[in-house]
Amino acid sequence: MNAAPLLVSFDTLKKFLDALPEKHRKSYQQQIEKLFTQSLPPSVSETCLAVLFGYSVDFVYALSKKQHKFYRSFKIKQGKKVRIIHSPRVALKVVQKWLGTHLSNAISFEPHVCGFVKGKSFADAAKIHQGARWVYSVDIENFFPSITVVQISGALEKLGYSEESAKFLANICSLNGTLAQGSPASPVISNIIMKDIDQRLIELAEKYVLKVSRYADDIVFSGKEPFSTDIPNELSSIFGLTPFLLNKNKAYFADSQKGQRLKVHGLLVKEDKILLTKGYRNKIRAFRHMVAQGKVSEGDLPRLKGHLTFAEFIERNNQV
């Protein structure tokens, strides 16, 4: 699903402003113009959003106040765990996609942030750690659900939205008081929420002369000098001041000088390249042979081709 343009169906900002009720235009014009110059979504109220998308004001009010009516929930398995996804229905999804896309286009993030950033991938995050002696990774527990509507609203205010407008958009992007898992706006909002923490991660990396990457809820540090046991404690202190919890069961440390593989974001990190794990590479060889020999059923062919495309993607990343 492609996102609508910044002004949706309006050619100019003037046409959009002229389409607003006069009283509304006088109240919000200055804020709308300021947001527009920053390429931020100029949806500052129910009426603004209704005019932009051709929805009724009552319908937009329902989107922001009765969100549970506009989601369908289902479960997906991830290994041994079951994850609940709340997927927005079409009308809400269109709005969230529009918000997420234009927030992404308007806001820049630190170089170490690779998740949910246009033009970056987990492979880019792994490449940051090439040449490392050791890697240490931690995982944020229940990442999206830990982000509250109050945090979302506060982050939007920092971007230039009024308190009232920020609360309205935060409601549009949340479900049951937290960031909606399954909303197309949630990834970029999570990165916006993490901005202050990302700065502190950079400061920690600079203090110990380390490399750092963050891909969504997965944070990795690496270094060439011996690992300092103070790093985990300092990292815990950073998150101790936030609503987030680090998942201690997913902490990972590996040291190449002890013969251990350096695994980052699911990939092996070497001196000058990244690789699929040995078991995955063996599977890829088998898949290539099966596809070349025509020994794959029509139903399984898309899945195997997906794995082969993924392997080619990793190979191309080593050539960049």
Side-chain angles (χ1 to χ4, degrees), residues 28 39-40 64 109 120 133 177 219 223 273 277 295 309:
Y28 293 99
S39 298
L40 291 167
S64 66
F109 299 98
K120 290 189 176 183
R133 167 183 166 175
I219 300 166
K273 61 184 176 180
T277 60
K295 295 181 178 180
T309 300

Side-chain angles (χ1 to χ4, degrees), residues 2-10 42 52-53 98 102:
N2 293 325
L6 188 60
L7 295 177
V8 192
S9 59
F10 292 93
L52 280 167
F53 283 88
W98 173 74
H102 293 291

Side-chain angles (χ1 to χ4, degrees), residues 19 31 62-63 85 119 125 153 164 170 174-175 184 200 213 225 260 293:
Q31 184 185 175
L63 289 181
I85 299 294
S153 179
E164 176 192 9
S174 62
L175 178 65
R200 297 196 66 188
S213 67
E225 300 299 323
Q260 298 168 332
Q293 297 297 314

Side-chain angles (χ1 to χ4, degrees), residues 13-277:
L13 179 61
K14 184 179 184 305
K15 288 182 179 180
F16 168 50
L17 289 169
D18 288 344
L20 295 172
E22 184 177 357
K23 184 178 179 181
H24 207 80
R25 182 170 60 251
K26 288 181 178 179
S27 298
Y28 293 99
Q29 182 169 347
Q30 188 174 357
Q31 184 185 175
I32 290 171
E33 289 176 340
K34 182 181 177 182
L35 292 169
F36 182 75
T37 59
Q38 296 174 287
S39 298
L40 291 167
S43 176
V44 297
S45 68
E46 286 91 344
T47 299
C48 282
L49 190 60
V51 170
L52 280 167
F53 283 88
Y55 296 156
S56 71
V57 175
D58 287 344
F59 181 69
V60 174
Y61 180 86
L63 289 181
S64 66
K65 299 296 185 182
K66 301 176 181 179
Q67 304 98 319
H68 62 280
K69 291 187 175 182
F70 299 95
Y71 285 87
R72 61 184 183 87
S73 300
F74 56 91
K75 298 178 181 179
I76 61 171
K77 287 194 70 175
Q78 288 187 322
K80 295 180 180 179
K81 291 188 175 181
V82 176
R83 189 173 165 201
I84 299 176
I85 299 294
H86 303 289
S87 178
R89 299 189 184 278
V90 176
L92 180 57
K93 188 173 184 179
V94 167
V95 173
Q96 291 175 340
K97 179 70 174 178
W98 173 74
L99 286 168
T101 297
H102 293 291
L103 287 172
S104 294
N105 292 340
I107 301 169
S108 60
F109 299 98
E110 298 291 347
H112 75 278
V113 180
C114 297
F116 314 135
V117 175
K118 189 175 181 179
K120 290 189 176 183
S121 70
F122 62 94
D124 294 299
K127 288 175 73 173
I128 289 173
H129 304 283
Q130 287 178 179
R133 167 183 166 175
W134 55 263
V135 297
Y136 172 67
S137 68
V138 293
D139 183 86
I140 302 173
E141 194 168 5
N142 297 320
F143 187 38
F144 283 6
S146 296
I147 297 173
T148 67
V149 68
V150 174
Q151 285 177 277
I152 301 169
S153 179
L156 292 174
E157 282 189 63
K158 289 181 180 179
L159 296 180
Y161 290 91
S162 68
E163 182 180 355
E164 176 192 9
S165 300
K167 286 180 179 178
F168 163 63
L169 291 179
N171 285 336
I172 287 286
C173 297
S174 62
L175 178 65
N176 300 324
T178 63
L179 192 61
Q181 186 94 39
S183 161
S186 293
V188 66
I189 289 174
S190 71
N191 277 345
I192 295 169
I193 297 293
M194 287 290 292
K195 267 184 167 289
D196 289 343
I197 295 175
D198 282 325
Q199 187 56 48
R200 297 196 66 188
L201 296 178
I202 291 172
E203 292 168 2
L204 179 59
E206 290 176 345
K207 179 179 179 179
Y208 290 96
V209 194
L210 310 176
K211 298 289 187 180
V212 61
S213 67
R214 184 175 67 80
Y215 191 87
D217 57 354
D218 192 8
I219 300 166
V220 180
F221 287 93
S222 69
K224 295 185 177 183
E225 300 299 323
F227 180 71
S228 171
T229 54
D230 291 332
I231 293 171
N233 291 332
E234 293 204 34
L235 190 56
S236 294
S237 296
I238 290 174
F239 281 90
L241 302 173
T242 74
F244 297 110
L245 293 176
L246 297 179
N247 190 334
K248 295 181 180 179
N249 295 325
K250 286 191 176 181
Y252 167 82
F253 176 79
D255 189 332
S256 62
Q257 291 196 2
K258 295 180 180 179
Q260 298 168 332
R261 303 181 307 166
L262 305 187
K263 197 172 179 181
V264 176
H265 306 301
L267 298 169
L268 298 182
V269 174
K270 299 294 184 180
E271 182 65 30
D272 59 354
K273 61 184 176 180
I274 55 175
L275 297 171
L276 300 173
T277 60

